Amino acid sequence: MAFSKLWICATLCSWMKILAFPRVELHVHLDGSIDSEDLFKICKARNLTLPTGLPQNTSDVQHYVEGFSGWHRFDAVNEIIGGDVASIRKAAEAFVDFQAKSGVQYTEVRYDPVRLSRSRLGNVSISEEDAVKAVQEGLMIGSRRHKIHVYQILCAMRGASPQQCFSTANLALKLASQDLGGVVGLDLAGDETDFPNAAYVDCMRHAKLAGLNVTVHSGEFNTSQTNDVRSAVFSMLADRVGHGYAAAQDVELLRELTRRGIHLEA
């Protein structure tokens, strides 16, 4: 028993030391990172009515979000914060507050500007550029308040047309900035199984060759997606691979990732 208590104490002390270190987070989704309390505050400020009526507490909002499955929970969050500059700014600020409390000193947060620009709940929309600028304002305010660095990555979504991918890439290029909260890269995200890399190769190469940092979600779900990781690296010229677990099945690919210094966001 004494040994067990000593081990537990040593483990807790080790974790406390680790958590005290400055941290970096390079793969986090804005619309997957806003808690129910902040979403409730935004609902109240916007006077949004959920399918069950006006939300009375955080539980009402949580039940609304949990009513969506899988990735569609991102849609639920965007319905609450999207299409409104003030709400987007508040959500971005709240995100930075959470990062600061978590000891994260540097963050690159990602989201889909197309989805963030509209809300059916609010029956409103704004331009994608206005949505990105609102995120930057919120990130900048929070970064200055906490004296940390938070930037943004725009997501082009699988399932959208290649033309939409180019539109998002060009928006990222237009708004690219090293200022706090600025756009520092482009990511390809979404359903890799039904929408593989091939349709988006030209878009991502365009973004990289034009000077953007490029991330590609690939090899996320199963071992059969090794070729997607390969095309992300060799064809799309990705600087980082989102997840990339399937690469573990290909020794030569792992060696090439190491040789190129490509970061697996795993």
Side-chain angles (χ1 to χ4, degrees), residues 30 34 38-39 41-48 77-94 116 119 124 126 134-135 138:
L30 178 64
I34 311 301
D38 289 315
L39 290 174
K41 290 177 181 177
I42 292 172
C43 277
K44 296 294 284 184
R46 297 184 70 175
N47 198 32
L48 289 180
V77 173
N78 280 303
E79 289 291 354
I80 293 173
I81 69 175
D84 180 71
V85 167
S87 300
I88 293 169
R89 189 187 303 120
K90 288 177 184 176
E93 278 191 65
L116 188 61
S119 165
V124 291
I126 57 177
V135 172

Side-chain angles (χ1 to χ4, degrees), residues 12-243:
L12 288 174
C13 289
S14 296
W15 274 110
M16 289 174 68
K17 289 179 181 178
I18 290 171
L19 292 174
F21 292 152
R23 296 168 57 209
V24 171
E25 189 160 19
L26 300 178
H27 190 125
V28 57
H29 294 264
L30 178 64
D31 39 11
S33 304
I34 311 301
D35 68 24
S36 297
E37 183 177 354
D38 289 315
L39 290 174
F40 175 64
K41 290 177 181 177
I42 292 172
C43 277
K44 296 294 284 184
R46 297 184 70 175
N47 198 32
L48 289 180
T49 300
L50 302 180
T52 53
L54 286 170
Q56 301 300 312
N57 49 49
T58 57
S59 293
D60 289 343
V61 174
Q62 186 171 339
H63 290 153
Y64 168 69
V65 174
E66 290 176 349
F68 291 72
S69 62
W71 286 330
H72 292 294
R73 290 184 178 177
F74 290 129
D75 289 328
V77 173
N78 280 303
E79 289 291 354
I80 293 173
I81 69 175
D84 180 71
V85 167
S87 300
I88 293 169
R89 189 187 303 120
K90 288 177 184 176
E93 278 191 65
F95 171 78
V96 180
D97 290 342
F98 180 81
Q99 292 298 90
K101 290 176 185 176
S102 302
V104 182
Q105 298 294 304
Y106 181 94
T107 306
E108 294 177 6
V109 61
R110 65 193 66 194
Y111 65 94
D112 171 15
V114 177
R115 189 63 189 84
L116 188 61
S117 68
R118 53 187 167 81
S119 165
R120 286 183 291 269
L121 278 180
N123 194 29
V124 291
S125 64
I126 57 177
S127 71
E128 294 158 33
E129 182 170 342
D130 284 343
V132 174
K133 289 179 177 178
V135 172
Q136 180 169 7
E137 289 173 9
L139 297 181
M140 182 183 296
I141 292 168
S143 294
R144 287 175 174 169
R145 178 164 60 241
H146 295 289
K147 296 181 173 57
I148 62 177
H149 293 78
V150 184
Y151 300 92
Q152 57 177 303
I153 297 172
L154 302 190
C155 287
M157 300 305 296
R158 299 176 187 272
S161 67
Q163 291 75 20
Q164 180 58 62
C165 183
F166 273 99
S167 178
T168 301
N170 289 331
L171 179 61
L173 285 163
K174 178 181 179 180
L175 299 180
S177 172
Q178 293 299 313
D179 294 337
L180 288 174
V183 176
V184 295
L186 179 73
D187 175 32
L188 179 65
D191 184 355
E192 180 185 7
T193 302
D194 292 330
F195 303 99
N197 289 351
Y200 307 101
V201 169
D202 290 345
C203 171
M204 302 308 285
R205 286 181 66 90
H206 161 71
K208 178 60 183 175
L209 295 174
L212 278 177
N213 297 310
V214 168
T215 299
V216 179
H217 278 66
S218 276
E220 182 173 356
F221 299 112
N222 59 57
T223 57
S224 68
Q225 293 170 338
T226 304
N227 286 336
D228 279 351
V229 180
R230 282 187 167 275
S231 65
V233 173
F234 296 109
S235 300
M236 294 175 158
L237 309 179
D239 300 287
R240 303 179 193 150
V241 175
H243 307 295

